[in-house]
Amino acid sequence: MPHCIALFSGGLDSCLSVITLLRQGIRITALYFNTSFGCGLSNREDYLKRVSERFGFDLKVIDVSEEFLGILKNPAYGYGKNMNPCVDCKIMMLKNARDYMNQVGADFIATGEVLGQRPMSQQRHIFNLMEKKVGIKDYILRPLSALLLPPTHPERVGMVDREKLHGISGRKRIQQFHLAKEYGLDDYPNPSGGCLLTDPNFSLRLKELLLYKKDVNIRDLRLLKIGRHFRLNDGTKIIVGRNQDDNAHIMDLHTTADILIMPYDVEGPTVLIPKADISDDLIMTGASFCMFYSDGKDRDTIRVIVKYGNEERFVDANQSYSLDIQKYMIKR
Ligand code: SF4
């Protein structure tokens, strides 16, 4: 039985691509690449497992966060409409898939790409470029658009029946919706695949961070996904939780090098000042941000707990430090 390594985001196109090949009796190992920018990976992992069990293929999650971070800072082929370096990202995934294919002795790679669907990364010349960069030109099959592309090695040698592949192109997804119905695929996430880098607001935060911080790390990226973000000066940001989930994430991600501020006598947000040089002024500013978004906003003062290093103390916050709070917000 031919063995295919499939790039698998869990979005509609990659699901259809995999099912198209499964229906030809091809064994599939689907690779999900965790770049750190998928929406709600834990939910997505549950979904991916459900699909793989239902349709009968193997699933492997590969963490490429660190490798992707390097690409994100300086993509050779630039960004798309937002901060999405799609061409570099696809090349990275294909290289990983190629290595995995060689490691397990699989026969070819499949992707869910559709010709002409995305202006940056899903064009004929870009497919050629990626194949050249990855060095396995004839071994990357795109089942959804295969009839519009030259036959690949697995089609030519009869591993894959070309006549049962598709000739889909363009941005409209009507044909994919019909195919999903035909395949009994009724439970799929947003077709865009949920990459945060295509989100304009998230991209703005990321761009701002890359501008001010040269040594961005994975924790910085995780923090970008939560809370309201404020820039006080070149080296200082304040992050304010918007809800209990944000507050819990801030607690999880904080280190002893950060200033952490929590309301003590009212309901309100957890506030993080990442890797800050502590000063009374900064603490009072962070405390007043906490107050501004708390239930005690209209009081004269609220009491907050401030943690820094191994120290912990109470501070009485007031609004005098946050009069211009909106001015500091990182937003479009
Ligand atoms: S949308 Fe995101 S995950 Fe998909 S190719 Fe582009 S950068 Fe990579």
Side-chain angles (χ1 to χ4, degrees):
M1 181 194 290
H3 183 189
C4 165
I5 305 301
L7 265 56
F8 188 65
S9 69
L12 176 60
D13 292 341
S14 66
C15 285
L16 293 174
S17 166
V18 162
I19 299 169
T20 296
L21 296 177
L22 284 170
R23 285 161 68 101
Q24 293 200 24
I26 290 162
R27 177 185 164 201
I28 302 283
T29 301
L31 305 184
Y32 176 84
F33 293 98
N34 176 18
T35 59
S36 271
F37 294 99
C39 294
L41 180 65
S42 55
N43 295 344
R44 178 148 289 221
E45 272 197 61
D46 289 345
Y47 168 76
L48 300 176
K49 276 184 201 145
R50 253 197 344 266
V51 176
S52 71
E53 280 164 16
R54 179 171 164 212
F55 288 94
F57 60 91
D58 296 327
L59 173 69
K60 192 173 163 57
V61 176
I62 299 180
D63 192 325
V64 288
S65 308
E66 290 290 349
E67 186 180 357
F68 189 65
L69 180 55
I71 287 173
L72 192 58
K73 289 176 185 169
N74 190 17
Y77 297 98
Y79 301 101
K81 193 172 166 199
N82 295 295
M83 287 296 279
N84 46 313
C86 291
V87 176
D88 296 84
C89 176
K90 284 278 174 61
I91 290 171
M92 175 199 71
M93 291 182 189
L94 285 168
K95 281 183 176 168
N96 276 281
R98 173 202 63 197
D99 294 347
Y100 188 73
M101 175 180 81
N102 291 336
Q103 188 190 323
V104 300
D107 298 294
F108 65 98
I109 292 171
T111 80
E113 289 162 310
V114 169
L115 192 61
Q117 187 177 85
R118 293 201 185 173
M120 181 187 188
S121 61
Q122 300 192 10
Q123 303 296 328
R124 209 177 288 267
H125 68 286
I126 298 295
F127 289 168
N128 291 338
L129 170 87
M130 290 182 201
E131 286 160 11
K132 202 169 159 198
K133 285 280 165 193
V134 181
I136 45 167
K137 185 169 172 38
D138 244 4
Y139 288 78
I140 302 175
L141 177 68
R142 297 176 172 92
L144 299 187
S145 292
L147 300 183
L148 306 172
L149 299 166
T152 55
H153 172 79
E155 293 162 271
R156 287 200 308 274
V157 300
M159 279 184 215
V160 175
D161 183 349
R162 183 171 168 87
E163 289 187 7
K164 292 181 180 156
L165 302 178
H166 308 288
I168 302 174
S169 66
R171 300 171 74 89
K172 290 187 183 153
R173 287 194 149 98
I174 294 166
Q175 284 174 275
Q176 284 95 316
F177 296 142
H178 285 309
L179 205 52
K181 207 168 175 192
E182 185 188 328
Y183 288 175
L185 182 67
D186 42 21
D187 162 31
Y188 48 84
N190 183 329
S192 66
C195 176
L196 276 174
L197 296 171
T198 60
D199 177 88
N201 288 319
F202 184 82
S203 290
L204 178 92
R205 284 185 180 189
L206 176 61
K207 207 175 199 171
E208 198 270 354
L209 181 70
L210 291 173
L211 191 69
Y212 284 98
K213 197 165 189 273
K214 298 297 161 224
D215 56 343
V216 170
N217 56 38
I218 298 292
R219 185 186 86 125
D220 295 323
L221 301 181
R222 294 198 174 127
L223 285 170
L224 277 189
K225 296 180 193 174
I226 54 177
R228 300 177 182 89
H229 287 233
F230 303 86
R231 168 76 53 197
L232 291 193
N233 56 46
D234 285 9
T236 315
K237 266 183 95 169
I238 293 187
I239 301 169
V240 181
R242 288 167 302 195
N243 49 42
Q244 289 195 349
D245 266 6
D246 279 354
N247 294 345
H249 279 115
I250 287 174
M251 290 303 289
D252 282 350
L253 291 170
H254 96 279
T255 72
T256 51
D258 305 323
I259 299 174
L260 190 69
I261 301 171
M262 291 162 294
Y264 179 70
D265 56 358
V266 289
E267 290 291 317
T270 301
V271 171
L272 184 82
I273 310 180
K275 285 209 171 166
D277 290 332
I278 196 158
S279 70
D280 286 344
D281 209 38
L282 185 55
I283 287 175
M284 290 310 293
T285 302
S288 63
F289 274 54
C290 180
M291 181 175 181
F292 185 83
Y293 287 103
S294 78
D295 288 352
K297 182 176 191 287
D298 297 323
R299 285 172 33 178
D300 290 338
T301 61
I302 65 163
R303 181 151 279 205
V304 299
I305 307 169
V306 178
K307 289 186 177 185
Y308 180 78
N310 296 318
E311 281 183 34
E312 194 171 313
R313 62 172 142 132
F314 287 113
V315 166
D316 287 328
N318 60 64
Q319 288 297 353
S320 60
Y321 281 80
S322 63
L323 291 176
D324 287 336
I325 200 161
Q326 297 300 329
K327 183 175 100 186
Y328 299 109
M329 187 179 262
I330 300 166
K331 62 180 177 190
R332 287 207 291 168

